[in-house]
Amino acid sequence: MRTEIIINVGSNESRIAILEEGKLAELFVERPEEERMVGMIYKGTVTSVLPGMQAAFVDIDIPKRGFLPLSDLVASDRAYSPFLGEPEVEELEKKGQRRSIKEMLKPGDVILVQITKEPLGGKGPKLTTQLAIPGRFTVLLPGEDHLGVSRKITNWKEKRRLKELVAPLRPEGMGVIVRTEGEGKGEKEFKSDINRLLKTWKKITKKAGKGKAPILLHRDVGITSSVVRDLFSSEVERMVVDSKREYRRILSYLQSVSSQLRPKVEYYKGEEPIFDFYGIEKEIEKMLDRKVWLKRGSYVVIDHTEALVTIDVNSGRYVGRENLEETALRTNLEAAREIARQMRLRDIGGIIVIDFIDMEGRKNRDKVYQELRGVFKRDRANVSILPISDFGLVELTRQRIKPSFLYTFSEACPLCNGTGRVLSQVTMMAKIERWLKRAKGVLKEKRLKLQVHPVVADYLLESRGQRLKKLSKESKRRLEVEADPSQKIDSYKFLLAKDGLDVTGEFMP
């Protein structure tokens, strides 16, 4: 499969698109005020222990306390006994007794924890004491006694070779997992990678020894660096980036870990915004739509509720050429492929229920089920799927690490008391910034009037208009903001300051 990585770096947000056969398959977004938390390691303080839930809450110096279930504590409790303050835990293990959370932790205990899931809604982040520090070819597991190889490496001879190669390099008292990118690599690459991770771990322990809980000890690399580290492999055809600074950083990193990939990195020099050039912007615009049209005229409807996500498949304009059963089968097979793509693209997680068009034959229901299982194999998140019921329903769960893009790109609408959603002010500023980039070098007029809803106008003019000044400086234009109550919150209008001519539509994606 032809895979490309396209990177757009802006002052307000950075975006990374994964294209498969030219179609947008995954999107990553990073904003300065919405820092990615997964992978962060803290020295935290236990605030409460809940035996009924077999879990504890931990203060890590963020607004919402972290949630630590017993299942994420057991494996590494002995490794952090200096932080747990529970020497009797080892004795319980020897006796083979089933431990409860209250036997292992008590309020006031200080422990090392790592975030495995971002905060979602009113919930705090999910934590684990089973720390993992990822590198290019390996993952270091402090306190573990384990040597593993990625499941995606299926050749048993290669698995054996990797284990025999890495075993002597494994630091004492630590586990190591060989990542997929480690396939075919030699001792030099693994030794260098493990040494880098060991240096990181030493910095963490040194800071943990000095700092008073709660304190942040380590943060994982930014989204661009993590995509280069985790996803950029020989299977990727090319990586294109529109920032010269980021382009140089990527080349520098690859020089030390995978120099053979450097020729695949390209710097985008075009005048047209990079996501417009590759047709990605239009796909992103559709990401918040409830209705997703399919090629034959059928469509799926995606709705988010408090407890789960529901997806409804409709035949729409597609009537087929044969009997009703064959029409339903064709529609459902096409919908299955698009649903898997949309779930990856929108980062939908948790419990999902899909209502396929009813089919009489068990054989046809099995075909749709197998198609759904097959297309989800490309998904890096863990997915569990139940067979289609007699009612045409499929229940599945998809690993949720961070909030869906519905919550990244939108916020509760203040005009409808939260029953609907509109684009957030941060997203609106990013859209305005991209409009100005499209106009750059084409529109000769230097003075523009920007008409937006009063809520967006207030956002642009906050802190003595710093955001507006930033937009003016980068676009090299004199911008005047006008609050217009008639404008929708998620729309804007650009007028020429000289004669009031509306030029908005000339530079839309």
Side-chain angles (χ1 to χ4, degrees), residues 109-306:
D109 281 347
V110 175
I111 57 174
L112 293 188
V113 291
Q114 186 170 33
I115 294 178
T116 58
K117 284 187 180 180
E118 301 277 353
L120 181 63
K123 298 178 181 179
K126 187 180 178 184
L127 307 176
T128 180
T129 60
Q130 302 165 30
L131 309 187
I133 308 173
R136 174 69 173 172
F137 307 118
T138 60
V139 179
L140 190 66
L141 309 173
E144 300 286 344
D145 184 20
H146 174 71
L147 175 58
V149 177
S150 168
R151 293 176 183 175
K152 292 184 179 180
I153 299 176
T154 55
N155 186 298
W156 285 103
K157 285 185 178 180
E158 176 63 5
K159 278 180 176 284
R160 193 183 309 117
R161 183 191 76 86
L162 290 169
K163 283 192 174 185
E164 291 173 354
L165 181 65
V166 175
L169 304 175
R170 183 165 70 94
E172 187 177 349
M174 296 192 184
V176 172
I177 295 175
V178 178
R179 307 190 71 179
T180 309
E181 190 58 25
E183 186 172 10
K185 298 298 185 292
E187 182 182 356
K188 181 181 177 182
E189 287 91 345
F190 286 116
K191 191 172 184 179
S192 176
D193 200 48
I194 291 172
N195 284 339
R196 274 194 295 269
L197 297 178
L198 272 175
K199 287 179 182 177
T200 300
W201 175 240
K202 286 176 182 177
K203 289 178 182 177
I204 292 170
T205 54
K206 185 177 179 180
K207 194 171 182 180
K210 293 181 178 179
K212 185 178 179 181
I215 183 176
L216 173 65
L217 303 176
H218 170 75
R219 69 178 78 239
D220 199 8
V221 294
I223 193 71
T224 304
S225 299
S226 69
V227 166
V228 175
R229 181 191 67 196
D230 301 339
L231 302 181
F232 190 35
S233 66
S234 56
E235 295 177 358
V236 175
E237 188 173 285
R238 60 176 175 167
M239 174 183 282
V240 188
V241 57
D242 64 357
S243 163
K244 189 167 285 187
R245 181 183 177 189
E246 203 63 48
Y247 169 73
R248 289 169 178 163
R249 284 179 58 188
I250 293 169
L251 289 181
S252 176
Y253 171 74
L254 291 174
Q255 182 63 41
S256 60
V257 295
S258 298
S259 58
Q260 74 277 8
L261 293 178
R262 294 177 90 240
K264 292 190 174 189
V265 184
E266 301 175 16
Y267 171 57
Y268 178 74
K269 300 177 182 178
E271 288 292 326
E272 187 180 10
I274 189 170
F275 272 27
D276 287 1
F277 181 79
Y278 285 96
I280 299 168
E281 204 67 65
K282 289 181 180 179
E283 287 292 315
I284 295 174
E285 293 287 334
K286 298 175 185 175
M287 278 177 56
L288 297 185
D289 292 348
R290 288 179 64 241
K291 186 182 288 187
V292 180
W293 287 96
L294 306 178
K295 286 182 179 179
R296 289 189 173 95
S298 51
Y299 63 89
V300 299
V301 177
I302 303 172
D303 281 315
H304 293 253
T305 71
E306 190 78 17

Side-chain angles (χ1 to χ4, degrees), residues 259-425:
S259 58
Q260 74 277 8
L261 293 178
R262 294 177 90 240
K264 292 190 174 189
V265 184
E266 301 175 16
Y267 171 57
Y268 178 74
K269 300 177 182 178
E271 288 292 326
E272 187 180 10
I274 189 170
F275 272 27
D276 287 1
F277 181 79
Y278 285 96
I280 299 168
E281 204 67 65
K282 289 181 180 179
E283 287 292 315
I284 295 174
E285 293 287 334
K286 298 175 185 175
M287 278 177 56
L288 297 185
D289 292 348
R290 288 179 64 241
K291 186 182 288 187
V292 180
W293 287 96
L294 306 178
K295 286 182 179 179
R296 289 189 173 95
S298 51
Y299 63 89
V300 299
V301 177
I302 303 172
D303 281 315
H304 293 253
T305 71
E306 190 78 17
L308 49 81
V309 175
T310 63
I311 302 177
D312 185 31
V313 180
N314 291 276
S315 56
R317 298 190 296 264
Y318 180 55
V319 294
R321 295 182 179 178
E322 301 175 36
N323 57 49
L324 182 61
E325 182 78 358
E326 188 66 24
T327 300
L329 175 61
R330 287 177 180 271
T331 302
N332 286 337
L333 287 172
E334 185 182 4
R337 292 187 286 270
E338 185 60 29
I339 286 168
R341 174 175 170 261
Q342 289 294 329
M343 287 175 63
R344 287 177 66 197
L345 182 55
R346 300 179 186 220
D347 215 351
I348 296 173
I351 300 172
I352 298 101
V353 177
I354 306 171
D355 182 10
F356 283 105
I357 297 172
D358 290 340
M359 294 174 291
E360 295 294 330
R362 168 56 64 183
K363 185 177 179 181
N364 287 338
R365 289 202 290 267
D366 288 342
K367 282 183 181 179
V368 175
Y369 172 64
Q370 293 302 330
E371 181 70 23
L372 201 58
R373 283 174 57 90
V375 290
F376 269 116
K377 286 181 179 179
R378 293 199 293 268
D379 197 333
R380 286 177 290 107
N382 295 325
V383 180
S384 178
I385 311 173
L386 294 179
I388 299 179
S389 72
D390 291 338
F391 296 108
L393 300 178
V394 169
E395 299 171 65
L396 63 93
T397 60
R398 184 174 183 272
Q399 182 185 18
R400 177 164 53 197
I401 297 175
K402 59 189 177 72
S404 162
F405 274 120
L406 174 71
Y407 301 99
T408 301
F409 287 144
S410 66
E411 57 189 21
C413 175
L415 301 183
C416 59
N417 202 27
T419 57
R421 302 192 70 84
V422 295
L423 293 180
S424 66
Q425 294 157 24

Side-chain angles (χ1 to χ4, degrees), residues 44-83:
T45 305
V46 177
T47 57
S48 56
V49 177
L50 308 175
M53 294 177 65
Q54 285 297 292
F57 284 99
V58 184
D59 178 14
I60 55 174
D61 199 27
I62 63 173
K64 294 286 182 181
R65 295 176 303 167
F67 179 75
L68 176 63
L70 177 63
S71 59
D72 283 305
L73 174 68
V74 175
S76 56
D77 50 12
R78 288 175 298 169
Y80 309 115
S81 54
F83 300 98

